[in-house]
Amino acid sequence: MNSEPFGLHEGQTRSSMNLPLNLLGSQYYSVPSVPKPDSDFTRYYATVGEQTGLCMISAATSQFENDPKGIVVREKMGVMGSRLRDIYGAFVKHDVMRKNALWIRPDDWLMAVQQGEREYELRWPSLSVGKVGAGIAQIVLRAAAAGPDRSVILLSYRFDNYSRCQAEQAVPKISKQ
């Protein structure tokens, strides 16, 4: 993990990535392999604009089973966060329970995440260009639920061209019929 997360960089086109991409939605692709995989992650996803190129790369871990309290996922995020801190500098922990949440018991930690009542993320909000390298605007490491007792960790790198990529997606395509 460096200024070219997983060996990819801002603005790469689908063809320059030389990867077999599987379209999941407008500009959103499943990437079966990346040039520099990380052993913590098993799946990769990319947002690639037709004009702007690669604007976000994400990765997901395998599922952590039998973790309704979220202990395993939080411990693993701590280890990953420390590793990322060595590369990108300090992060901010975002651990928020929504007001009037129903899933408030410690045994319901992951169910609260699944129901959108809790957010647990490590964020790098202000990245030093000298430390990070050109092009990375935001990094987020997030706990997600794959069920009431199964969790995953998602890591996303948004590049500086992300807002242009989103704007490109919002422009309606004109049919050439």
Side-chain angles (χ1 to χ4, degrees):
M1 292 184 262
N2 55 33
S3 63
E4 286 195 342
F6 312 115
L8 302 170
H9 63 270
E10 176 186 24
Q12 280 187 268
T13 62
R14 290 187 318 232
S15 60
S16 74
M17 290 170 71
N18 197 25
L19 297 170
L21 298 173
N22 302 314
L23 182 63
L24 298 174
S26 180
Q27 296 184 328
Y28 190 60
Y29 299 85
S30 169
V31 182
S33 64
V34 293
K36 293 183 180 177
D38 184 293
S39 61
D40 285 325
F41 298 99
T42 58
R43 296 178 316 260
Y44 300 90
Y45 304 93
T47 303
V48 183
E50 197 64 37
Q51 302 300 313
T52 54
L54 181 66
C55 58
M56 186 166 78
I57 185 76
S58 302
T61 63
S62 294
Q63 292 182 13
F64 301 101
E65 302 286 336
N66 300 315
D67 190 27
K69 294 180 181 182
I71 294 169
V72 175
V73 73
R74 286 181 281 170
E75 286 177 356
K76 183 65 176 174
M77 282 182 68
V79 170
M80 294 169 100
S82 293
R83 204 173 72 184
L84 289 164
R85 182 184 58 231
D86 292 344
I87 300 167
Y88 300 110
F91 59 82
V92 175
K93 182 167 33 173
H94 178 77
D95 185 4
V96 175
M97 177 70 83
R98 302 277 186 240
K99 189 175 180 175
N100 301 322
L102 299 175
W103 301 97
I104 58 174
R105 293 184 5 226
D107 288 351
D108 298 331
W109 191 90
L110 196 56
M111 183 58 100
V113 170
Q114 182 175 359
Q115 296 301 317
E117 295 181 354
R118 175 183 288 279
E119 292 179 3
Y120 190 82
E121 298 177 339
L122 305 180
R123 300 176 181 172
W124 284 258
S126 56
L127 300 170
S128 166
V129 172
K131 185 155 184 130
V132 176
I136 300 174
Q138 180 187 55
I139 302 169
V140 176
L141 187 66
R142 177 171 66 99
D149 67 344
R150 294 172 308 182
S151 57
V152 297
I153 297 172
L154 306 172
L155 174 61
S156 297
Y157 291 86
R158 281 189 183 176
F159 294 104
D160 290 337
N161 65 348
Y162 185 77
S163 60
R164 292 190 317 270
C165 193
Q166 294 300 101
E168 179 184 322
Q169 181 180 0
V171 174
K173 305 277 190 249
I174 299 173
S175 175
K176 297 180 180 181
Q177 293 182 7

